Every structure is written in C-alpha cells, then in structure tokens.
Amino acid sequence: MSRRKTRPRTPAPAPVTAGSPCPCGLDAAYGACCGRFHSGTGGTAPTAELLMRSRYSAFVVRDTAYLLRTWAPGTRPGTLDLDPAMRWTGLEIRETTEGTAFHQRGTVTFLARYVHGGEPGSLYERSRFTRHDGAWVYVDGDFLDD
C-alpha cells in the first residue's frame, strides 16, 4: 500500500455575519463597518481608505456586485470571477494620501494577506481612487515589493 503525501487542509473560515469582527481590521462588527456599505444601508464610503477597506472585505465575503459597483467605469472589468481557493486573512494599511471629503483623488497603500491552496501569500499594492458621481471608486493599482 503506497502512502501519498497530502498537504494539510486549511479549515474553511467561519462565515462572516453582521455580528462578526469586520474583516477589514477595524474594531467594529462587520454589519456596522463594511457590511453597511456592501448592503447599501450605510451609503457610500466617505474616504478612499474606507472604500479600500470595504473592498477588501468584499473580497473576503465574495461580494462581486459591490466590487464592480465601486470600480471606476473606465477601468472596471465586464465580469469578475473570484478564485474559490483564495482565502483572505488580513489587511494592513501602510499609507494613505489625500482621499478625504476635501479631495477628488487619493491613494491607499496596503498589504493584504491570503492563503491559496494551503500556501500563505501577500499582495502589496498602491491603489488609486477617484470620485465618480460624488462617490469614491477604485481606479487601478501598482503592485509593490514588500
């Protein structure tokens, strides 16, 4: 009988509920933090950083409709297929420039951690945001070396 080496399975994360800690890392429940933007009950994110955090949380909860809705029309893809093997595990905001109620543009530099196929990894990016019809939207980003 041969033995086959298998990679230990990463347990599936618990589903995110309104009362769960928000995946974005702020000290708030998902429903009162990013979940309110996802559902539309909290309006739109008032800053580029909060939009970045809510988009990260949308990747965690696999809310493609929100991701597409908050993407600038000029750079938005027609569809978005999220990899079911990707599990996002943490967000660290490294730097923000502009992106407040007083600005039309802003950038957010962040490090997002994930596990894919049992292997840990990270995404380090400087994302650009702009206002479209009064709301912050994601334009594009540059990958950085961590």
Side-chain angles (χ1 to χ4, degrees):
M1 184 171 184
S2 66
R3 290 190 178 189
R4 187 171 43 159
K5 284 188 175 183
T6 59
R7 218 181 259 152
R9 290 191 138 206
T10 304
V16 176
T17 65
S20 300
C22 194
C24 81
L26 292 178
D27 188 22
Y30 169 71
C33 195
C34 295
R36 65 192 167 117
F37 300 130
H38 296 171
S39 69
T41 61
T44 60
T47 66
E49 180 179 332
L50 284 176
L51 179 62
M52 173 62 234
R53 288 179 178 279
S54 69
R55 285 178 56 83
Y56 169 82
S57 291
F59 276 101
V60 172
V61 301
R62 308 180 63 72
D63 187 344
T64 56
Y66 181 79
L67 291 166
L68 290 169
R69 188 169 68 245
T70 58
W71 211 311
T75 58
R76 178 188 310 137
T79 61
L80 188 60
D81 295 318
L82 300 181
D83 185 344
M86 181 73 78
R87 187 169 59 90
W88 296 97
T89 60
L91 176 68
E92 178 185 333
I93 301 296
R94 296 273 178 99
E95 178 182 30
T96 61
T97 58
E98 298 184 335
T100 71
F102 303 104
H103 300 106
Q104 291 300 309
R105 291 181 171 69
T107 64
V108 179
T109 304
F110 67 92
L111 180 71
R113 290 185 175 77
Y114 61 83
V115 174
H116 185 262
E119 297 295 322
S122 62
L123 171 69
Y124 189 33
E125 180 179 312
R126 179 173 298 113
S127 294
R128 284 179 284 283
F129 298 87
T130 191
R131 288 192 183 268
H132 177 74
D133 292 337
W136 285 107
V137 291
Y138 170 78
V139 177
D140 60 17
D142 297 318
F143 297 117
L144 307 171
D145 293 325
D146 185 27

